[in-house]
Amino acid sequence: MSTAEPAAPRPTADLDRRIGAILRDQRRELGLTLADVAERASVSRGMLSKIENGQVSSSLDTLQRLTTTLGLTLAQLFARFDGPAGSAQLVRAGEGLEVVRRGTRRGHTYHLLAHDPGPRKRMEPFLITMDDASEVFPTFTHPGLEFIHLLEGRLEYRHAGETWELGPGDSLTFPGDVPHGPERLIEVPIRFLAVIAYGGEAE
């Protein structure tokens, strides 16, 4: 009696696993759930889970929708796949990757200025812009230490029960695991750098 031979591995299995891992890491970096991304990209949650785990090959159309939702281009996705670890990254003025952070509202723009390709994030630098369309201010918590430096405008920034008024050139450093965020916009537009240093804490 003959027995069925095990199915041969898919020729693209390694590629699918690598691409899935990049998409999963990007989603987690943005603080988005599977449901968040599936809804925005018009992909079922089950299919997205299979893509992230390298269990299926994605069409270019699906990859395009997922990368757009995650603030990536297809070129950036495959650059991460092929790029050598530890290489220098240059981001020209105005070319920072625009990302969507969970809890943000209209009037808030986040540009990620560098991506840490390692298995653990060590730091994330953002250029954040806020204008008079900003109505509801999100409160954030995250691992690590955060440093912000105001470039333009004036605002009150809240950390725990305290607030500080910041103007151009002012800096503020604080533990990220305590609730924090903008309290009041005083003079817009506002632009500031926010650098989150994770050390060995973030997966």
Side-chain angles (χ1 to χ4, degrees):
M1 187 174 80
S2 62
T3 58
E5 294 184 2
R10 290 179 291 118
T12 60
D14 287 342
L15 174 64
D16 294 336
R17 282 194 293 270
R18 290 282 301 280
I19 288 177
I22 293 168
L23 294 173
R24 181 181 63 245
D25 290 347
Q26 177 71 2
R27 174 178 63 78
R28 289 174 174 173
E29 285 182 15
L30 300 179
L32 299 173
T33 65
L34 279 169
D36 292 331
V37 175
E39 180 180 359
R40 297 178 192 184
S42 299
V43 177
S44 74
R45 184 173 174 178
M47 176 58 72
L48 178 56
S49 178
K50 288 181 179 179
I51 291 170
E52 287 192 353
N53 288 298
Q55 296 172 352
V56 296
S57 296
S58 304
S59 67
L60 283 177
D61 176 66
T62 299
L63 282 180
Q64 178 74 64
R65 283 183 277 128
L66 288 172
T67 52
T68 298
T69 298
L70 294 170
L72 293 170
T73 64
L74 285 174
Q76 289 168 327
L77 173 67
F78 288 105
R80 290 190 185 186
F81 175 79
D82 290 325
S87 58
Q89 300 178 44
L90 171 65
V91 177
R92 299 288 186 187
E95 293 184 359
L97 174 65
E98 185 170 341
V99 299
V100 177
R101 295 192 70 188
R102 202 174 186 192
T104 57
R105 303 293 188 268
R106 64 189 182 94
H108 297 64
T109 303
Y110 288 77
H111 286 95
L112 183 61
L113 301 180
H115 168 69
D116 190 343
R120 291 176 180 266
K121 289 184 296 182
R122 290 166 293 181
M123 69 95 181
E124 287 184 303
F126 293 95
L127 175 62
I128 301 171
T129 303
M130 304 177 71
D131 60 31
D132 55 8
S134 303
E135 297 172 347
V136 179
F137 306 132
T139 296
F140 298 107
T141 58
H142 53 76
L145 193 67
E146 182 163 352
F147 166 83
I148 65 175
H149 179 77
L150 203 68
L151 302 171
E152 180 181 3
R154 303 190 73 84
L155 84 162
E156 284 186 3
Y157 202 88
R158 177 184 66 259
H159 183 263
E162 297 184 79
T163 60
W164 290 266
E165 182 175 327
L166 304 177
D170 291 341
S171 301
L172 185 66
T173 305
F174 49 84
D177 58 357
V178 177
H180 59 274
E183 178 72 16
R184 182 169 66 96
L185 307 189
I186 300 172
E187 181 182 322
V188 294
I190 292 166
R191 289 193 312 135
F192 62 95
L193 290 172
V195 180
I196 304 173
Y198 294 105
E201 299 174 337
E203 295 291 342

